[in-house]
C-alpha cells in the first residue's frame, strides 16, 4: 500500500487528507498550526498528523519523508511551498503534487521538482463557468486511482440549507471546495454558513464510489 504525505491542513489539504484517509490509505498530515492538527484528528479527518514546519528540511528527515510514495504540498504561501517542494525533491520523493496560486508559482514549483501542479481555484472557476445544464458529473482532477475532483448540480435535498446544517462531510462523505451560485458568482472554499440554492453547482472532492452514490441524489 502506498504511503501519502499531506503538507498543509487548510481547506484544500484537509479535503485531500480526508478523502485518502476514508479510502483506507496510509497517510500522515503536517501543519504548523497545533490548532489545525488537533482539530483534524478530533474530527476523524485523519488519524496521524504532526505539528511542524515542512519548509525546514530537518522536520521532513525526522519523520522519514523519503519513505513516502506521494507528497501533497497544499500550502498557499509561495515561499514556503517552494522550499517544501525543494526539500521533498532532495529527499528523493518521486511523486510531488503541489498546489499553486498562479502560473508563475506553478512554473517555479515545476522547475524545482514538483511532478504535478494543481490550480484549485483557477481550475474550478474556469470549468464551472463552462458547465452546461446537463446533470452529468465531469471528472476534473485525478490524484489517485480512487480520488477525484468533480462538479455536479446541487441535488434538491440540499436546496435552502446551509453547509453546516447539511453536514455533507459526515453524511455524504464529500468535501465541497467550491460553489458556482445560480446567479453566476463563484465561491471558492465556501464557509459553513453558505446556503445552497436551486441551480447551484458544487465542486466536490471524494472517492469514485461516493461519486457514483451521490449521482443518484441528482
Amino acid at each position: 500500500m502506498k504511503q501519502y504525505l499531506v503538507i498543509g491542513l487548510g481547506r484544500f489539504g484537509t479535503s485531500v487528507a480526508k478523502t485518502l484517509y476514508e479510502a483506507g490509505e496510509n497517510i500522515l498530515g503536517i501543519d504548523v498550526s497545533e490548532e489545525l492538527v488537533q482539530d483534524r484528528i478530533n474530527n476523524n479527518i485523519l488519524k496521524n498528523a504532526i505539528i511542524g514546519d515542512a519548509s525546514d528540511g530537518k522536520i521532513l528527515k525526522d519523520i522519514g519523508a523519503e519513505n513516502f510514495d506521494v507528497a501533497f504540498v497544499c500550502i498557499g504561501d509561495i515561499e514556503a511551498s517552494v522550499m517544501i517542494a525543494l526539500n521533498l525533491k532532495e529527499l528523493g520523493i518521486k511523486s510531488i503534487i503541489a498546489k499553486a496560486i498562479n502560473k508563475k508559482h506553478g512554473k517555479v514549483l515545476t522547475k524545482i521538482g514538483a511532478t504535478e501542479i494543481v490550480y484549485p481555484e483557477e481550475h474550478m472557476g474556469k470549468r464551472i463557468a463552462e458547465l452546461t445544464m446537463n446533470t452529468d458529473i465531469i471528472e476534473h482532477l485525478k490524484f489517485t486511482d480512487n480520488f477525484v475532483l468533480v462538479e455536479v448540480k446541487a441535488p434538491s435535498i440540499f436546496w435552502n440549507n446551509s453547509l453546516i446544517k447539511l453536514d455533507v462531510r459526515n453524511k455524504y462523505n464529500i468535501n465541497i471546495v467550491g460553489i458556482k451560485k445560480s446567479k453566476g458568482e463563484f465561491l471558492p472554499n465556501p464557509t459553513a454558513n453558505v446556503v445552497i440554492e436551486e441551480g447551484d453547482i458544487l465542486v466536490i472532492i471524494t472517492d469514485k464510489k461516493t461519486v457514483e452514490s451521490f449521482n443518484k441524489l441528482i
Side-chain angles (χ1 to χ4, degrees):
M1 182 178 290
K2 288 185 177 181
Q3 304 286 327
Y4 294 91
L5 181 63
V6 178
I7 302 172
L9 296 175
R11 287 183 178 274
F12 184 69
T14 295
S15 295
V16 172
K18 179 176 175 60
T19 303
L20 291 171
Y21 178 59
E22 292 183 344
E25 303 288 353
N26 289 328
I27 172 177
L28 174 66
I30 306 177
D31 198 282
V32 295
S33 169
E34 179 180 357
E35 181 180 359
L36 279 182
V37 169
Q38 195 60 55
D39 175 78
R40 282 19 175 193
I41 293 176
N42 291 344
N43 286 286
N44 200 35
I45 293 171
L46 72 170
K47 184 177 181 180
N48 299 312
I50 65 170
I51 303 163
D53 181 359
S55 63
D56 180 351
K58 185 177 184 301
I59 295 292
L60 294 177
K61 289 181 181 179
D62 288 345
I63 65 171
E66 66 275 11
N67 297 314
F68 287 81
D69 300 287
V70 182
F72 290 88
V73 182
C74 306
I75 304 294
D77 180 86
I78 294 178
E79 182 178 354
S81 69
V82 168
M83 284 302 302
I84 292 168
L86 180 60
N87 290 336
L88 293 169
K89 180 66 176 179
E90 291 180 343
L91 287 171
I93 296 181
K94 294 181 179 180
S95 182
I96 303 171
I97 302 172
K99 168 186 173 180
I101 62 173
N102 54 46
K103 295 297 183 181
K104 185 177 181 180
H105 184 195
K107 186 176 182 179
V108 173
L109 288 167
T110 299
K111 283 188 174 181
I112 63 175
T115 54
E116 184 174 346
I117 307 300
V118 179
Y119 302 91
E121 294 185 9
E122 176 184 327
H123 188 83
M124 288 186 288
K126 180 179 178 181
R127 295 297 295 164
I128 289 179
E130 296 173 346
L131 185 64
T132 66
M133 295 303 291
N134 295 326
T135 58
D136 295 336
I137 289 179
I138 303 174
E139 179 178 318
H140 292 306
L141 297 177
K142 181 180 179 182
F143 294 127
T144 71
D145 290 339
N146 191 44
F147 174 39
V148 294
L149 171 70
V150 298
E151 60 186 21
V152 61
K153 287 183 179 179
S156 58
I157 58 174
F158 282 22
W159 298 350
N160 303 316
N161 288 298
S162 67
L163 291 181
I164 191 169
K165 182 178 180 180
L166 288 169
D167 193 20
V168 295
R169 183 174 290 170
N170 292 316
K171 292 182 179 178
Y172 302 98
N173 190 35
I174 65 172
N175 293 282
I176 298 177
V177 296
I179 301 174
K180 180 184 177 184
K181 301 300 292 179
S182 55
K183 296 180 180 180
E185 178 186 11
F186 178 62
L187 303 178
N189 299 324
T191 63
N193 293 322
V194 170
V195 175
I196 302 298
E197 301 170 317
E198 181 178 359
D200 284 355
I201 295 170
L202 312 178
V203 180
I204 65 175
I205 293 180
T206 189
D207 57 81
K208 286 187 175 181
K209 183 177 180 180
T210 298
V211 169
E212 295 172 359
S213 299
F214 190 75
N215 193 26
K216 297 176 182 179
L217 298 175
I218 304 173

